[in-house]
Amino acid sequence: MAEIYLDNNATTRVDPAVFEEMRPYFCELYGNPSSMHTFGGQVGGRLAEARERVAALLGCEPVEILFTSCGTEGDSTAMRSALEAQPEKRHLITTKVEHPAVLNLANHLVKKGYHLTLLGVDAEGMIDLDELRSSLRDDTALVSLMYANNETGTIFPIQAAAELVKSRGIPFHTDAVQAAGKLPLDLRTLPVDYLVLSGHKLHAPKGVGALFVRRRTPFRPFLIGGHQERGRRGGTENVPGIIALGKACELAGAHLAEENTRVRALRDRLEQGLLAAIPDARLNGHPTERLPNTSSLAFKFVEGEAILLLLDQKGICASSGSACTSGSLEPSHVLRAMGVPFTYAHGSIRFSLSRFTTEAEVDAVVAELPRIIERLRAISPFREDDAPTAVCTC
Amino acid sequence: MWDYTDKVKDHFLNPRNVGKIDDADAVGEVGSLACGDALRLFLKVENERIVDARFQTFGCGSAIASSSALTEMVKGKTLDEALLVTNRDIAEFLGGLPKEKMHCSVMGREALEAAINNYRGIETTQHELEGEVVCECFGVTDAQIRRAVEENDLKSVEDVTHYTKAGGGCERCLPDIERLLAEVRGAREARPAPAAAAPRKLTNLQRIQLVQKVIDEEIRPSLQADGGDLELVDVDGTTVYVSLRGTCTHCPSSQLTLKGGVEARLKEIVDPELQVVEVQ
């Protein structure tokens, strides 16, 4: 069965060109860049080249890039560093819809005595800059806002938010794991202090990421050890991963226009096709300010995990914000924060495309999903005209 | 991806007895849209025996499979026999459920009780909400928690959440769940262990009837779902003679099905001495 992979916000296929670039660094050029011999030392030059490629994608200086193991490490490093550098400030601002890498750390910091403000979002998943403005305090140590949401694709107004926060002299961190490689980012004009990306979201392998730290931003290492990364991140470098990330960033820059034209058009074709074919369906997220590859749709009176299982039978990979998918008992924190009604929230499916997605794949989903929804609605007790008087006080 | 058994997948992909019974004698409803799963069970009853059972379910794969299994299990049973079906029976019928999905089997058992209460004129809402609500998020009462702990030998708060959903929302009720768990487990541990039940000694007639029942209710439906079938030819002492039908006759795994599936199940339910032999 041919696989139709529309779960690229979860992880992406490693681009074959990326794989070829990293391949020699496993069995042939396997030296440690910290070694004194030429065999190891020659690898150091390739790490510098990878750093330049990542910096080129982001519009920053190579020296401002730290290599990490993943997005979570980048977020933890940035947030803990900002707080540690200002021990007198005990207030943190983030949003209710962040990735757990930020949200769970923020909640953990509350237990350590920090005050936390969680900004809400509207029905389209958008923050309110006025709420951000009124939340800023003299003792605010950090504002952390994701660039784009992983579930809905809604893009936050990071430029305006960062300008507002920086005007008060407060450090600003953005988790750009979903945005990097999909949206043009230019740190020459975007006044953030910390920005995080992850390799496996842009066709590099898992286990590598990058953290941008603006020059002259106070920094405290999270991994304290050797001299690697100029003493800012101890641990032997993941050489093949870093080289892969450099190549992936170079390719992402080259494909940025395609991402925002061809991939966006495919996403729209999928979304419009499904919304036209399936009654009682709606979009989760912002209609226009949204990642070009992401479409989160909700289907009334059916449950997301059941939809995913039937899609899986057809070789179609997607994901869901429903409760049952995750083992949680409630729909995703993102959908709840947006106020998506329960009638829809439990039946939410996220499709996320990539530059490897084809028109034929999209058309196959548009052909299959309406039948799947119809099949599950035929089993469901819920109808507009025939809702059960179920015994449940929730 | 959940690790579902083949039987769960089969009952999800090919659910049995879907739909309404327009002239149902009993209807049981549990769950809600807000909770994320709901089951509406319809029963047709003649002389206190369930002659037909159908369902409508909103929920995940486990919820649909549990509902389908439940209808298969209760058809042919008297109402009193059906009331003996536990959530564990439903899960075992399916070859097990992930622990996080055990609440789906509980939903099945609750819907069955609600339907039988409905038939017998007992007000379901009073029955369901017996006790005090402990978990506001999912409307779970202390009586429901006590029962789940007691019937399933639950050992942790996490277990209680998996089986009843209590504590799966805001988590404010976790201390209450812990207290109830300690109470019920304390009471259980204080009870003297029951003496081991003597193994059932079946008469020949009882053995034949039970073999026939297991084959008809459990084994044949799952084989029929794949285009196969099995016929009971004879029972001679502890030897059960069967004949394969349909796609099973040419299936390379038929011996595995007979020994690993049919014989194992009959040994478990009827008599550990039973042997299954295929006849043409």
Side-chain angles (χ1 to χ4, degrees):
Chain A
M1 183 166 49
E3 198 170 77
I4 298 175
Y5 187 78
L6 296 182
D7 199 14
N8 287 278
N9 285 9
T11 196
T12 58
R13 166 189 176 181
V14 174
D15 189 302
V18 168
F19 185 58
E20 284 311 311
E21 189 110 347
M22 75 191 289
R23 187 198 292 268
Y25 295 88
F26 287 101
C27 300
E28 297 155 45
L29 301 169
Y30 53 82
N32 186 329
S34 298
S35 297
M36 289 305 295
H37 44 69
T38 307
F39 180 69
Q42 67 183 332
V43 175
R46 294 307 312 277
L47 294 188
E49 187 188 338
R51 205 180 304 274
E52 286 166 10
R53 285 170 158 178
V54 177
L57 179 71
L58 301 178
C60 66
E61 298 294 322
V63 74
E64 295 174 308
I65 294 295
L66 254 80
F67 290 118
T68 63
S69 65
C70 59
T72 299
E73 188 198 330
D75 287 331
S76 264
T77 303
M79 292 170 72
R80 288 173 181 276
S81 175
L83 300 181
E84 211 178 309
Q86 311 164 90
E88 73 288 356
K89 295 189 173 181
R90 310 292 289 172
H91 177 231
L92 175 66
I93 298 174
T94 186
T95 77
K96 290 181 179 175
V97 297
E98 296 295 313
H99 187 276
V102 169
L103 205 50
N104 288 345
L105 176 57
N107 287 325
H108 170 76
L109 289 164
V110 170
K111 292 177 190 157
K112 301 286 179 188
Y114 280 88
H115 302 284
L116 175 64
T117 299
L118 289 176
L119 304 177
V121 292
D122 65 15
E124 293 172 338
M126 190 60 80
I127 55 164
D128 177 1
L129 287 175
D130 288 336
E131 189 190 359
L132 171 60
R133 184 180 294 105
S134 61
S135 301
L136 296 173
R137 299 180 355 190
D138 290 341
D139 67 337
T140 302
L142 180 71
V143 174
S144 175
L145 306 183
M146 67 196 332
Y147 203 106
N149 185 266
N150 48 300
E151 285 190 38
T152 63
T154 295
I155 301 166
F156 284 166
I158 293 298
Q159 182 80 36
E163 286 169 3
L164 169 63
V165 171
K166 295 307 295 173
S167 72
R168 296 280 300 268
I170 298 166
F172 190 97
H173 159 246
T174 185
D175 174 341
V177 163
Q178 292 297 342
K182 296 172 193 158
L183 298 174
L185 298 172
D186 188 352
L187 289 162
R188 284 168 293 234
T189 53
L190 187 70
V192 306
D193 299 295
Y194 307 93
L195 180 142
V196 171
L197 64 82
S198 174
H200 76 107
K201 307 292 193 192
L202 43 79
H203 305 289
K206 296 155 190 71
V208 66
L211 166 64
F212 158 82
V213 184
R214 191 172 294 282
R215 276 179 190 274
R216 289 181 288 282
T217 300
F219 185 81
R220 304 288 184 276
F222 180 49
L223 285 185
I224 297 170
H227 64 278
Q228 296 90 348
E229 298 295 293
R230 298 187 301 125
R232 299 173 132 211
R233 198 266 190 189
T236 301
E237 298 90 340
N238 169 11
V239 174
I242 290 169
I243 285 165
L245 179 63
K247 182 64 178 174
C249 285
E250 183 188 68
L251 290 172
H255 285 282
L256 212 48
E258 182 195 358
E259 190 80 32
N260 286 277
T261 52
R262 191 187 73 85
V263 176
R264 183 187 294 273
L266 279 183
R267 188 275 313 270
D268 292 344
R269 181 186 180 100
L270 173 73
E271 190 169 289
Q272 288 155 16
L274 292 175
L275 291 174
I278 301 170
D280 292 321
R282 57 178 267 175
L283 172 72
N284 297 320
H286 199 280
T288 56
E289 294 302 305
R290 189 152 45 103
L291 290 172
N293 77 317
T294 305
S295 180
S296 171
L297 301 176
F299 305 99
K300 204 172 185 180
F301 297 148
V302 288
E303 196 283 323
E305 189 227 42
I307 301 169
L308 287 187
L309 288 171
L310 293 174
L311 282 170
D312 189 59
Q313 286 286 306
K314 301 291 179 185
I316 298 164
C317 308
S319 70
S320 170
S322 79
C324 296
T325 316
S326 59
S328 150
L329 293 172
E330 292 187 320
S332 87
H333 67 287
V334 176
L335 301 178
R336 278 182 290 136
M338 290 163 64
V340 176
F342 278 117
T343 47
Y344 281 100
H346 286 291
S348 286
I349 300 291
R350 180 192 69 188
F351 296 104
S352 44
L353 290 63
S354 83
R355 62 176 181 260
F356 294 105
T357 305
T358 66
E359 195 171 291
E361 290 176 330
V362 162
D363 290 347
V365 177
V366 173
E368 288 294 347
L369 187 59
R371 287 197 282 265
I372 288 171
I373 301 297
E374 196 177 337
R375 175 175 167 174
L376 291 171
R377 282 180 177 163
I379 298 176
S380 174
F382 295 106
R383 304 278 190 287
E384 294 294 358
D385 57 338
D386 188 26
T389 52
V391 179
C392 185
T393 60
C394 51
Chain B
M1 196 72 170
W2 297 110
D3 186 17
Y4 286 143
T5 64
D6 288 346
K7 204 156 181 191
V8 171
K9 289 178 195 164
D10 176 37
H11 276 265
F12 166 65
L13 294 170
N14 310 292
R16 284 62 151 177
N17 312 307
V18 172
K20 295 168 74 168
I21 299 176
D22 287 329
D23 57 344
D25 298 304
V27 180
E29 295 174 11
V30 289
S32 76
L33 265 171
C35 288
D37 46 23
L39 165 57
R40 196 193 242 181
L41 180 69
F42 302 87
L43 301 179
K44 195 79 189 136
V45 182
E46 285 176 14
N47 300 323
E48 286 283 302
R49 190 173 292 278
I50 298 167
V51 294
D52 196 8
R54 292 184 177 276
F55 78 91
Q56 292 177 317
T57 290
F58 158 73
C60 62
S62 299
I64 291 168
S66 296
S67 308
S68 170
L70 171 69
T71 55
E72 289 287 275
M73 290 167 77
V74 301
K75 277 201 285 188
K77 280 188 163 67
T78 65
L79 295 178
D80 287 336
E81 286 168 346
L83 278 173
L84 297 176
V85 171
T86 66
N87 71 281
R88 290 175 81 92
D89 294 332
I90 297 169
E92 281 168 19
F93 180 91
L94 291 166
L97 284 170
K99 66 180 190 304
E100 294 87 349
K101 298 289 187 177
M102 284 301 289
H103 60 84
C104 297
S105 65
V106 174
M107 182 171 76
R109 192 256 298 150
E110 288 180 343
L112 175 63
E113 287 178 6
I116 294 172
N117 284 331
N118 170 243
Y119 180 79
R120 291 178 169 170
I122 301 166
E123 199 55 57
T124 297
T125 46
Q126 287 172 5
H127 162 82
E128 276 293 328
L129 296 177
E130 198 177 281
E132 285 183 29
V133 173
V134 172
C135 174
E136 298 284 351
C137 298
F138 291 100
V140 186
T141 66
D142 58 351
Q144 288 171 297
I145 292 169
R146 285 175 194 279
R147 182 172 174 180
V149 173
E150 182 71 49
E151 288 184 354
N152 297 283
D153 191 22
L154 304 185
K155 293 180 172 64
S156 68
V157 172
E158 192 184 25
D159 286 345
V160 172
T161 303
H162 292 328
Y163 278 71
T164 66
K165 293 193 172 189
C170 71
E171 300 188 347
R172 279 203 302 261
C173 60
L174 294 185
D176 292 331
I177 296 172
E178 200 146 11
R179 178 179 51 77
L180 287 166
L181 190 65
E183 278 176 26
V184 179
R185 291 204 63 79
R188 275 176 74 95
E189 279 148 25
R191 277 202 297 270
R200 274 193 306 169
K201 193 75 183 141
L202 297 172
T203 64
N204 280 335
L205 184 60
Q206 285 174 324
R207 185 184 297 112
I208 292 166
Q209 284 175 333
L210 196 50
V211 166
Q212 182 75 63
K213 186 169 183 287
V214 172
I215 286 175
D216 287 347
E217 289 184 5
E218 288 193 37
I219 294 164
R220 291 187 68 201
S222 67
L223 295 178
Q224 286 164 348
D226 294 324
D229 204 353
L230 175 144
E231 187 184 325
L232 177 63
V233 176
D234 196 7
V235 179
D236 182 8
T238 56
T239 306
V240 178
Y241 295 96
V242 299
S243 176
L244 293 170
R245 296 275 184 267
T247 54
C248 289
T249 51
H250 314 295
C251 177
S253 307
S254 62
Q255 287 312 303
L256 187 68
T257 303
L258 282 178
K259 291 291 171 187
V262 179
E263 187 177 285
R265 191 66 180 145
L266 290 173
K267 278 174 183 280
E268 184 186 343
I269 294 183
V270 183
D271 184 340
E273 303 297 312
L274 281 186
Q275 295 242 321
V276 172
V277 176
E278 184 188 3
V279 292
Q280 299 301 320

